[in-house]
Amino acid sequence: MTAIKIKDSTLQQAAAKGMDEFLKAIIDATYQAIGGELNAENMQRLSANQITLLAWDILHNEVMDGGFIQLIHNGYGAFIFHNPFGKAVRGWGLDELATLINRARKYYEKYHDRIERECTDEEFMAMFEQMPEFDDCDDSFVENEEQWTAAIAYYVDEHLDQFVTIEQD
């Protein structure tokens, strides 16, 4: 396993700014330790919890920016829906998020071939009209995002040694 190191002062400053910054500091340290990008090779050097946190970051960024259709179009569908991400977040106490992932997985299975293909911006935007099933999933994510982020920050804080090694300044 790759040791993800973070300075105590960095973590303290981030935590003082709130849960988003706290998680960002840990996520940034994790990406830095693996060369800036999660891939099949460096994923093997991370723990299940670290991978789950990076999966949350990808899910969060993509869905908040452009919904589940964007997440799938940008190539993250298989990573989120064909891995035990839903089971992992359920283990973190996020039952509603796990349920949402399972619901969105059904639409992913139905539409992923159409969503993942190369297309123009116009064709991409048309997908939102053609696949309205994702609307409820997107809305649910946005409505619960703050609560889920808080729960993830709490879980990470309570299990900090499973995510990072804190270095004294």
Side-chain angles (χ1 to χ4, degrees), residues 61-80:
N61 290 337
E62 293 291 328
V63 174
M64 291 301 287
D65 188 48
F68 281 94
I69 289 175
Q70 177 176 302
L71 172 92
I72 296 163
H73 183 73
N74 286 343
Y76 297 113
F79 178 59
I80 296 298

Side-chain angles (χ1 to χ4, degrees), residues 3-12 160 164-169:
I4 311 300
K5 298 176 182 174
I6 191 167
K7 293 199 179 302
D8 186 45
S9 61
T10 301
L11 197 56
Q12 295 297 330
L160 200 53
V164 293
T165 300
I166 299 174
E167 294 183 319
Q168 297 306 315
D169 296 289

Side-chain angles (χ1 to χ4, degrees), residues 9-119:
S9 61
T10 301
L11 197 56
Q12 295 297 330
Q13 290 169 2
K17 293 178 183 175
M19 64 186 174
D20 292 315
E21 289 299 316
F22 170 74
L23 287 176
K24 184 179 182 319
I26 293 170
I27 290 165
D28 288 352
T30 305
Y31 276 122
Q32 184 177 4
I34 60 171
E37 174 184 18
L38 184 63
N39 57 47
E41 179 188 319
N42 61 30
M43 193 181 301
Q44 297 174 18
R45 300 191 324 242
L46 298 175
S47 71
N49 273 340
Q50 291 166 329
I51 293 167
T52 301
L53 183 59
L54 294 185
W56 161 257
D57 184 55
I58 291 166
L59 175 74
H60 179 264
N61 290 337
E62 293 291 328
V63 174
M64 291 301 287
D65 188 48
F68 281 94
I69 289 175
Q70 177 176 302
L71 172 92
I72 296 163
H73 183 73
N74 286 343
Y76 297 113
F79 178 59
I80 296 298
F81 299 118
H82 288 170
N83 284 305
F85 176 71
K87 184 177 181 181
V89 294
R90 190 175 303 281
W92 288 8
L94 288 102
D95 292 340
E96 289 179 17
L97 177 57
T99 299
L100 175 64
I101 295 302
N102 288 333
R103 186 165 28 120
R105 177 186 293 121
K106 292 174 190 167
Y107 306 134
Y108 167 76
E109 296 299 339
K110 181 177 179 180
Y111 292 117
H112 77 92
D113 287 335
R114 285 175 55 194
I115 298 171
E116 291 169 344
R117 67 178 171 75
E118 289 292 320
C119 63

